[in-house]
Amino acid sequence: MWVCLFHSASDAHLTCVCMFLFTDVYVTCVFSEDCVMPCSFMPGSEEVIHWLKPVADLTVHSYYYSTDQLQQQSLHYRRRTALFNDQIHKGNASLLLNAITLQDQGRYKCYTSTVKGNKESFINISVEAPVHLVNIQLSDDIITCSSKDIYPEPKLTWSTNLPSDMPLDPGTIQTSTKVDDRGLYDITSTKQFSRDRTNICTVTSGTRGETGTLRQQDPVQCSPSSEVSIPCRIPQSDLLTFNLTWRFNQIVNILTATYTKGTPQMYINDQWKEQVQDMSESGSLQLHRLTVIHQGSYSCELYTSRDTHLFLTYLEITPDKLSAGTIVAVVFVVTIAAVATAAGVYMYLKKRGREDTLEGEGISDNEVNHLNKPLNKRGEERKTEGQQVAQGDAVTENGE
Ligand SMILES: *[C@@H]1O[C@H](CO)[C@@H](O)[C@H](O)[C@H]1NC(C)=O
Ligand SMILES: *[C@@H]1O[C@H](CO)[C@@H](O)[C@H](O)[C@H]1NC(C)=O
Ligand SMILES: *[C@@H]1O[C@H](CO)[C@@H](O)[C@H](O)[C@H]1NC(C)=O
């Protein structure tokens, strides 16, 4: 097949480089996005352009008499095509196709004709729906990795941060793929969680791939009255633009931050406004005013254009049974109180013994009154003691 490529040196001078090509022009379009199918011809008046899909016998777009001619256009391309009208006189017959679907794949013919002659060229379109998000979750020690809306058929592999780890026994992994009515693949895989490792799931399709990582961090403890910081690890490299989400028990959204060139824009869920104090530069979540209902798993999820990172931390809220220092202090106070009480009881009994002795000498004539006094009438009690002291003095005086 002969193909001519035009090089426009200036409007007045055009050079034509002709060569024999065995191959079509290959273009990869992205699913659901717009795509330009390239085509060019030697400029000349009375342009005729036909875009066709010969295998399926479809008319994609036609142009003649200086205008689009869409009477014959196939239904599949209705309202999805456009030529670059201001470029046609320069020999540009490229076609813009909107909202690419998998049915758009295949070989297209671009036929052009002017007063100077005609030309056919072929463009082979392939469509990709790249992996754009790897979702990773942990439940009952089973880790699930999934990704949706992928084309061509994806592959999923598991690994850890330790390259020396043996490849996982395939028997412990369960992977399944599904195709939806648009022809896109969903892939899901589960395996046993490796507690002391970073669990890495890689989903690839075509030449591109994304990873999801999950790591369980050491548990954090705090009391309801204290502040606590739950760590996250924003990796340093290529991460100026990314999203971060903190979740409770992997479901409830606490906050979302969108980082653009390193500057965060933060949205806190209304139900957590009371508890969220701040988020540090490293992404760590600072909480306060917690109650036992806030005990659970906190996940920091980082979404970059290429990877998903999930850090899980269990927060244990321990009311009153606080730090070792506090326990020592509490034990100390309780001991002091016990000693003081014992001393008080001892003093009382001693005094009481002395009182009984005095009463036994028949000096007090209000013994019945004393026994009838309610215990909580401390003033009365003291007055009685005072009287008894006075009486005691009297006894001493009497004794002299
Ligand atoms: C035709 O014009 C469009 C829009 O300006 C441009 O994107 C495309 O590269 C051009 N194609 C050729 C073959 O010059
Ligand atoms: C289009 O190109 C793909 C490779 O990208 C190839 O598999 C396919 O057969 C080509 N289709 C046609 C109709 O040439
Ligand atoms: C971050 O979130 C915004 C808004 O939800 C979204 O448009 C964008 O694609 C996200 N960026 C990344 C890297 O996930």
Side-chain angles (χ1 to χ4, degrees), residues 242-243 303-305:
F242 63 97
N243 292 340
Y303 299 102
T304 78
S305 56

Side-chain angles (χ1 to χ4, degrees), residues 186-205:
D186 290 358
I187 193 161
T188 302
S189 182
T190 56
K191 77 161 182 95
Q192 191 74 26
F193 178 53
S194 304
R195 192 153 290 285
D196 53 348
R197 306 258 195 284
T198 300
N199 297 253
I200 305 169
C201 164
T202 306
V203 181
T204 51
S205 168

Side-chain angles (χ1 to χ4, degrees), residues 104 170 254:
D104 294 331
I254 301 171

Side-chain angles (χ1 to χ4, degrees), residues 24 26 107 124:
D24 299 356
Y26 289 88
R107 196 165 180 247
N124 182 337

Side-chain angles (χ1 to χ4, degrees), residues 36 38-40 84 86-87 91-94:
V36 175
C39 181
S40 55
F84 298 98
D86 56 336
Q87 306 274 317
N92 183 339
S94 302

Side-chain angles (χ1 to χ4, degrees), residues 3 52 61 158-159 194 224 261 265 269 295 365 383:
V3 171
L52 308 163
H61 195 105
W158 288 101
S159 57
S194 304
K261 297 200 168 73
Q265 185 90 30
N269 183 332
Q295 174 165 299
D365 57 355
K383 207 160 89 190

